[in-house]
Amino acid sequence: MCIRDSIDTANHIAAYAAKAARVQVVAAYPITPQTSIVERIAELVENGELSAEYIRVESEHSAMSACIGAAAGGVRTFTATSSHGLALMHEALHWASGSRLPIVMVVVNRALGPGWNIWADLTDSISQRDTGWIQFYCADNQEVFDTIIQAYKLCENEQVLLPAMICLEGFILSHTYMPVKIPDQEKIDEFLPPYKPKWFLDINNPLSHGNIVTPDWYMDFRYMMYEAMENAKKLIPEIDKEYGRQFGFEHGELVDKYKCEDADLILLTMGTIGSEAKVAVDNLRREGLKIGSARIRVFRPFPTEEIRKLAENTQMFTVIDRAASLGMEGPLATETKASLYNQEDKPLIAGFIAGLGGRDVTFKTVEKIAKKSLEWMKKGKVEKETSWVDVRD
């Protein structure tokens, strides 16, 4: 297997992944900090490295609409957005999933305003969790490349046929250079063959698509989407393992677990906080503290069964969210509690909200959170169900 080494930003790596996936239609609209993805794709199309139709649209809603039309026409599509651009797509996101179109989109996570902020915050993509899109959250640039390729293989599977967003944090990954290994194109083609839809819009063979659905059928269509998500939950680990066998990189399937086997306390995170958590775990282990880390790689479908397995052998979960559901708590904390509601002997669960608007969450921050959690674990009671980290009094 031939592998090319590249040192580049996650945004440029996402563009190279779209090229490697041989996407046929790219809908492009700029928004910080996503813009350099579609800029790099434009360069690849212009210089002949990528044979694709590049559509410059007038808004993010139009970008998704163009992808919907192209995907319904039977071709592999790609786009990327951030923050308010993703919010503007909201209606079209439902259209894409309800139409069972395997669109792949990169979301460069950015805070929602006002106040205006261009730095990392998962609230933009978490706000779209009920649109029927599969959601991946990446921890480094290699995972960005690999997950885009894996997502096409997953979404185009007849058991799934749903769209997916690949989420990466603005500036923390989007503009940070990291070494990435890009496999030989021939090998990627073997892993991800051309998309062959069972149906597509064809003027020579007309059909009705996305039409009115009466109460007799609408609920059944939604249940089919539910089943597709359950199928995705089974296929994601298989695809990650297959990718690992062929290219040497696996990313934890649904949950990237680190030193959880004997952990009294497990840190549940998403995205790049998961990388910081691994460093914190190593440091705390050297102090004799039995801490583990579980990075939730896939938020939709939510890995309920994996959470329950982890809960069987630990005393406490500490959940660190880079998002807040205002009026409740961190979304990952809510999902974790819901997953364990009917289970006996549940561990203690403490929720922490950190890093909103790009505020740094380093391994030192994670260590501080873990030590506070251990204090509560020893007392057998979580004194504060949701704690906001490092906010001004």
Side-chain angles (χ1 to χ4, degrees):
M1 177 182 65
C2 177
I3 290 182
R4 175 171 67 86
D5 290 315
S6 177
I7 299 177
D8 218 325
T9 66
N11 275 3
H12 287 169
I13 290 300
Y16 298 142
K19 170 181 174 286
R22 296 192 184 277
V23 298
Q24 296 158 286
V25 171
V26 177
Y29 191 82
I31 182 171
T32 302
Q34 173 276 129
T35 304
S36 57
I37 296 178
V38 292
E39 286 179 336
R40 180 53 56 93
I41 291 177
E43 294 171 1
L44 295 171
V45 173
E46 179 67 21
N47 65 26
E49 292 185 56
L50 173 60
S51 178
E53 192 73 27
Y54 189 88
I55 307 173
R56 293 173 295 175
V57 295
E58 66 273 16
S59 73
E60 291 86 357
H61 188 283
S62 299
M64 183 50 55
S65 298
C67 285
I68 288 168
V75 300
R76 188 172 286 164
T77 63
F78 178 85
T79 191
T81 193
S82 294
S83 187
H84 289 265
L86 181 64
L88 184 58
M89 286 183 180
H90 179 75
E91 174 201 13
L93 297 182
H94 281 284
W95 222 103
S97 61
S99 301
R100 308 298 297 275
L101 300 173
I103 300 164
V104 171
M105 171 171 63
V106 169
V107 174
V108 182
N109 292 116
R110 167 190 149 184
L112 290 157
W116 293 107
N117 177 295
I118 59 172
W119 291 274
D121 191 322
L122 304 187
T123 304
D124 55 355
S125 54
I126 294 292
S127 296
Q128 308 301 329
R129 61 183 168 181
D130 297 327
T131 56
W133 281 62
I134 296 162
Q135 291 193 354
F136 292 90
Y137 289 81
C138 298
D140 58 47
N141 295 7
Q142 183 70 57
E143 187 175 9
V144 170
F145 182 93
D146 300 339
T147 304
I148 291 170
I149 303 299
Q150 291 183 26
Y152 279 109
K153 192 175 184 71
L154 172 73
C155 296
E156 292 171 3
N157 188 295
E158 291 179 23
Q159 298 179 61
V160 179
L161 290 177
L162 289 173
M165 57 181 73
I166 315 304
C167 303
L168 61 100
E169 285 147 282
F171 294 102
I172 298 172
L173 291 184
S174 66
H175 288 64
T176 298
Y177 284 76
M178 295 182 187
V180 174
K181 293 187 179 296
I182 298 177
D184 180 77
Q185 184 65 56
E186 183 179 331
K187 295 297 181 181
I188 294 177
D189 291 342
E190 291 177 8
F191 179 82
L192 180 66
Y195 176 41
K196 295 181 179 179
K198 291 293 184 182
W199 70 270
F200 57 90
L201 297 179
D202 182 356
I203 59 173
N204 296 315
N205 296 286
L207 54 81
S208 177
H209 170 63
N211 214 323
I212 193 77
V213 177
T214 66
D216 285 345
W217 276 103
Y218 181 83
M219 188 168 174
D220 299 86
F221 281 121
R222 304 306 285 187
Y223 182 70
M224 292 175 195
M225 293 171 67
Y226 168 81
E227 288 184 310
M229 279 286 185
E230 291 298 302
N231 292 338
K233 193 183 295 187
K234 298 172 185 175
L235 287 168
I236 289 167
E238 295 177 11
I239 291 171
D240 191 40
K241 289 177 182 175
E242 181 185 352
Y243 193 92
R245 288 193 298 270
Q246 293 199 30
F247 304 116
F249 293 104
E250 294 183 39
H251 298 285
E253 302 173 16
L254 296 164
V255 180
D256 180 19
K257 297 179 281 290
Y258 185 68
K259 298 186 177 180
C260 290
E261 296 82 3
D262 64 340
D264 294 328
L265 170 68
I266 295 177
L267 304 166
L268 297 182
T269 62
M270 291 169 62
T272 59
I273 296 178
S275 299
E276 296 295 327
K278 288 183 178 180
V279 178
V281 165
D282 287 339
N283 291 342
L284 294 168
R285 287 269 174 170
R286 282 191 284 271
E287 295 181 26
L289 303 173
K290 294 165 71 174
I291 313 289
S293 168
R295 176 176 64 89
I296 308 305
R297 182 180 176 231
V298 183
F299 190 74
R300 280 292 183 272
F302 193 76
T304 301
E305 295 79 9
E306 294 292 317
I307 295 293
R308 289 174 179 171
K309 288 177 184 176
L310 287 169
E312 290 175 359
N313 298 307
T314 193
Q315 298 180 43
M316 185 172 182
F317 282 147
T318 288
V319 185
I320 307 175
D321 271 288
R322 197 191 284 273
S325 179
L326 301 176
M328 186 56 176
E329 58 189 349
L332 180 57
T334 299
E335 302 283 343
T336 300
K337 292 174 182 177
S339 296
L340 299 174
Y341 178 74
N342 285 322
Q343 304 301 297
E344 296 181 2
D345 300 320
K346 295 184 288 288
L348 294 172
I349 301 174
F352 290 81
I353 295 172
L356 302 189
R359 181 170 291 185
D360 282 342
V361 181
T362 68
F363 65 89
K364 292 182 181 179
T365 310
V366 178
E367 288 174 24
K368 181 173 68 173
I369 291 170
K371 288 183 176 180
K372 171 57 70 175
S373 300
L374 287 172
E375 291 176 13
W376 292 341
M377 189 183 78
K378 290 175 183 177
K379 295 177 182 178
K381 180 181 179 181
V382 173
E383 294 181 357
K384 193 172 184 181
E385 197 162 345
T386 303
S387 301
W388 286 62
V389 178
D390 295 334
V391 293
R392 293 174 176 83
D393 295 331

